[in-house]
Amino acid sequence: MTSTDAVTSSAPDYDDFAATYAAANDNSLFNAWYARPEMLRLAGDVRGKRVLDAGCGHGPLMVALRDHGAVVAGFDLSPAMIDIAADRLGSDSEVQVVDLSAPLPYDDDEFDIVTCSLALHYVQDWAPALAELRRVLKPGGRLVVSIIHPFVYAFCYQDEDYFALTRYSEDYEHDGATFTLTYWHRPLQDVINAFLDAGLVITSATEPAADLDTPTELLPPEGRRFICFLFFALESP
């Protein structure tokens, strides 16, 4: 882990290691066996539904949603990630380069469901982002969100102010390559209040166990239950 003062990367820097990150993400414990199964569970029955994947990365959740019968669209800030997503989803895929913190190029009430998996923690100001996600949702539509659990920051950076909005970076390695990701930490109360201030209704908050089919060799010593990500299902009234 790097110091909270070391800000050396942001979401666009995924372009520098998109292929390496995608390869690591596809079958990793935290993504393939923990985050994606819970995102799909919270999304519910998506058959025939119009679903937007906000911050889709290289498209693994989009592929899973499509395979479950959804009509999918997605966007990400990284052109390299979008190129990989387009290759995986095929020529009929609706993916484009868009900034989650900017106005979205979709109509009002366009989607039945919006998923936003492990993307909001790259955004400093959630208010405009959540306003846009709510705008493109149909009334009664569902927004499913996952973020780094705020308590992870509290545990890893015990000398820092848990209650402050803080930008921090961490280094990761895969196949001999090192890459740096930069996040915005906010305390749990700010996470919840951001959703409420956006006019969204929280219907579920979960801290799931890893999928039952997770290969044993991928599980940490503490087993299937551990603090890593936090998941929310929300509705647009």
Side-chain angles (χ1 to χ4, degrees), residues 109 111 137-141 236-237:
D109 307 334
F111 297 97
L137 263 178
K138 294 178 180 179
S236 177

Side-chain angles (χ1 to χ4, degrees), residues 4 66 76 83 85-86 88 113 154 157 164 168 173 189 192 194 207 223 229:
T4 54
R66 184 194 61 184
D76 197 87
D83 286 345
R88 292 186 172 190
I113 300 169
Y157 298 99
Y168 69 105
E173 291 188 7
Q189 64 180 10
I192 292 172
E207 300 166 307
F229 304 141

Side-chain angles (χ1 to χ4, degrees), residues 32-45:
W33 301 99
Y34 181 64
R36 282 200 291 278
E38 184 67 359
M39 291 294 293
L40 290 170
R41 188 188 73 81
L42 292 174
D45 184 358

Side-chain angles (χ1 to χ4, degrees), residues 60-232:
L61 182 57
M62 283 187 70
V63 170
L65 289 164
R66 184 194 61 184
D67 291 349
H68 281 73
V71 179
V72 294
F75 69 85
D76 197 87
L77 185 56
S78 166
M81 287 290 193
I82 287 298
D83 286 345
I84 297 173
D87 286 343
R88 292 186 172 190
L89 287 154
S91 58
D92 61 343
S93 62
E94 186 183 334
V95 292
Q96 55 186 312
V97 177
V98 177
D99 188 341
L100 180 57
S101 63
L104 302 180
Y106 306 105
D107 293 334
D108 294 355
D109 307 334
E110 184 170 344
F111 297 97
D112 300 292
I113 300 169
V114 173
T115 58
C116 187
S117 183
L118 306 177
L120 270 175
H121 48 230
Y122 295 114
V123 177
Q124 180 178 7
D125 186 359
W126 281 16
L130 290 175
E132 279 294 281
L133 294 179
R134 183 183 175 189
R135 179 185 66 78
V136 303
L137 263 178
K138 294 178 180 179
R142 183 180 307 126
L143 170 62
V144 181
V145 172
S146 60
I147 59 171
I148 297 173
H149 201 303
F151 292 173
V152 172
Y153 181 87
F155 177 80
C156 294
Y157 298 99
Q158 297 183 27
D159 293 333
E160 303 295 333
D161 183 0
Y162 165 80
F163 294 99
L165 178 65
T166 305
R167 196 181 188 198
Y168 69 105
S169 296
E170 295 184 341
D171 292 335
Y172 300 87
E173 291 188 7
H174 179 70
D175 285 347
T178 300
F179 48 91
T180 303
L181 300 181
T182 298
Y183 313 105
W184 286 95
H185 159 77
R186 67 199 72 222
L188 181 58
Q189 64 180 10
D190 291 0
V191 170
I192 292 172
N193 286 329
F195 294 143
L196 298 179
D197 290 345
L200 295 161
V201 177
I202 300 172
T203 60
S204 176
T206 58
E207 300 166 307
D211 188 89
L212 291 177
D213 293 328
T214 304
T216 303
E217 64 271 17
L218 293 181
L219 292 171
E222 57 266 34
R224 296 184 184 277
R225 298 207 67 93
F226 46 84
I227 294 177
C228 185
F229 304 141
L230 184 59
F231 300 79
F232 291 92

